[in-house]
Amino acid sequence: MWLVMALLSAFFAGLTAILAKCGIRKTDSDLATALRTIVVLAFSWTMVFMVGSAQTIVQIQPKSLAFLILSGLTTGASWICYFKALFVGDVNQVVPIDKSSTILTVLLAIILFGETNHLAIKLAGTALLATGIFLMTGREPANSQRVKTQILKQHQSPKKQRWRVYAIGSAVFAALTAILAKVGITGVESNLGTAIRTGVVLIMAWLIVFLKGKQASLENIDKRELLFIILSGFATGASWLCYYYAIQNGVVSVVVPIDKMSILVSIAFSFLVFHEKLSKKAAWGLALMVFSTIAMAIWS
């Protein structure tokens, strides 16, 4: 079941990237992150009450609660970086770098959790993942002229190149999230753990909005973009619930690579929606990422 949940997590995470990209063409990325977190929080607590785990919150150990809070903080940091990168960069550029968190997560899981079964395959798969990511990101994206023009109009400054910094930040914080959540969710019902973490993310996201004085922009949000932000929130909530069930019951160094195959969904939709095409080099990189993930899932 945890393998099925990891696959579902990947599917919904892939939808999240595309829906979020549609929702932040004109809407500020920090504000969009805060709004979609409201949806994720409502979704998470609905699931908690549906499975009847709300009353177990008083039984959570202080250590687990502390790690859940820390994982919520790293999640918030990862989201903020991720959506800033998406706002400036290309989906096909940002997503592969974000998925490089897999490399750090697998290595940390081996070191911290002793997940050394089939170690040679895990290390070889991680190396192939790194190669695939390099091939996918070391290129000039083949966007449609419409998307290129829109990005150029919005970002006529050196700051537009910062998408790489944000994408790398997203990957590092995402890797830390997986490790912290594995510790924090031990002995905690997975839906409840997800809901607690989401509450931390919500506080962090809105704090940033108010500190930057962006709350006034709420009145001017495009209604179509707001719809996509809400839909991305539902997709995120579904992805999280599946992901943390898989993390709790499965092997971290296998679950995380499978979850990161959401890149297949993101790239497929980016081609259909934004007309972003892969170069041959990037296609080979994607193939390496898929092959290494399948190998680790089967033999780990």
Side-chain angles (χ1 to χ4, degrees):
M1 179 58 74
W2 65 265
L3 280 172
V4 173
M5 287 297 190
L7 289 169
L8 288 173
S9 172
F11 175 75
F12 288 119
L15 285 181
T16 295
I18 298 303
L19 292 169
K21 179 71 174 180
C22 292
I24 56 174
R25 291 186 171 186
K26 292 180 288 185
T27 304
D28 176 78
S29 60
D30 290 330
L31 188 58
T33 300
L35 288 170
R36 60 193 292 279
T37 308
I38 295 175
V39 179
V40 180
L41 185 66
F43 188 91
S44 301
W45 278 104
T46 299
M47 292 302 299
V48 166
F49 286 107
M50 285 180 65
V51 301
S53 62
Q55 67 274 15
T56 64
I57 192 170
V58 296
Q59 301 170 8
I60 298 177
Q61 297 297 316
K63 178 184 175 182
S64 294
L65 183 60
F67 275 94
L68 284 173
I69 292 172
L70 287 173
S71 70
L73 292 173
T74 53
T75 298
S78 179
W79 274 15
I80 289 164
C81 292
Y82 184 57
F83 289 105
K84 280 191 175 296
L86 277 180
F87 183 67
V88 180
D90 208 31
V91 172
N92 287 347
Q93 290 176 312
V94 174
V95 173
I97 294 180
D98 174 69
K99 301 313 177 190
S100 67
S101 61
T102 304
I103 298 167
L104 181 57
T105 304
V106 171
L107 295 177
L108 288 174
I110 291 170
I111 296 169
L112 299 176
F113 303 139
E115 297 181 358
T116 55
N117 290 337
H118 305 285
L119 182 59
I121 292 175
K122 287 180 179 177
L123 293 177
T126 302
L128 287 176
L129 273 174
T131 304
I133 290 164
F134 174 78
L135 290 174
M136 289 201 71
T137 56
R139 64 185 181 83
E140 177 67 25
N143 279 3
S144 68
Q145 189 61 41
R146 178 178 61 82
V147 177
K148 280 185 177 180
T149 301
Q150 183 183 40
I151 292 176
L152 287 173
K153 284 182 179 179
Q154 292 178 340
H155 304 280
Q156 292 292 342
S157 74
K159 291 183 179 180
K160 67 183 179 180
Q161 297 300 323
R162 291 185 180 177
W163 69 265
R164 286 187 178 85
V165 177
Y166 289 127
I168 292 170
S170 172
V172 172
F173 285 120
L176 292 175
T177 293
I179 298 301
L180 292 169
K182 176 67 175 180
V183 178
I185 210 164
T186 302
V188 181
E189 198 275 322
S190 60
N191 293 296
L192 180 59
T194 300
I196 292 171
R197 295 175 61 257
T198 308
V200 177
V201 178
L202 182 70
I203 294 171
M204 183 178 177
W206 279 103
L207 183 62
I208 288 173
V209 167
F210 280 100
L211 285 175
K212 292 185 176 181
K214 296 179 177 180
Q215 66 274 15
S217 302
L218 278 168
E219 299 177 359
N220 303 318
I221 292 180
D222 182 87
K223 287 184 171 54
R224 184 172 180 271
E225 291 200 357
L226 180 60
L227 174 62
F228 279 112
I229 290 169
I230 292 172
L231 290 174
S232 73
F234 279 112
T236 300
S239 177
W240 273 18
L241 292 175
C242 294
Y243 180 67
Y244 288 103
Y245 176 91
I247 282 284
Q248 184 180 48
N249 297 281
V251 180
V252 174
S253 54
V254 178
V255 172
V256 173
I258 293 175
D259 174 70
K260 298 310 179 185
M261 281 302 97
S262 60
I263 190 173
L264 291 172
V265 180
S266 296
I267 286 175
F269 276 93
S270 70
F271 173 76
L272 295 173
V273 178
F274 304 123
H275 310 293
E276 296 176 0
K277 299 178 181 179
L278 289 177
S279 65
K280 289 183 179 180
K281 181 181 176 183
W284 276 108
L286 180 61
L288 280 176
M289 292 178 70
V290 173
F291 174 77
S292 61
T293 299
I294 292 174
M296 284 192 285
I298 292 175
W299 286 292
S300 296

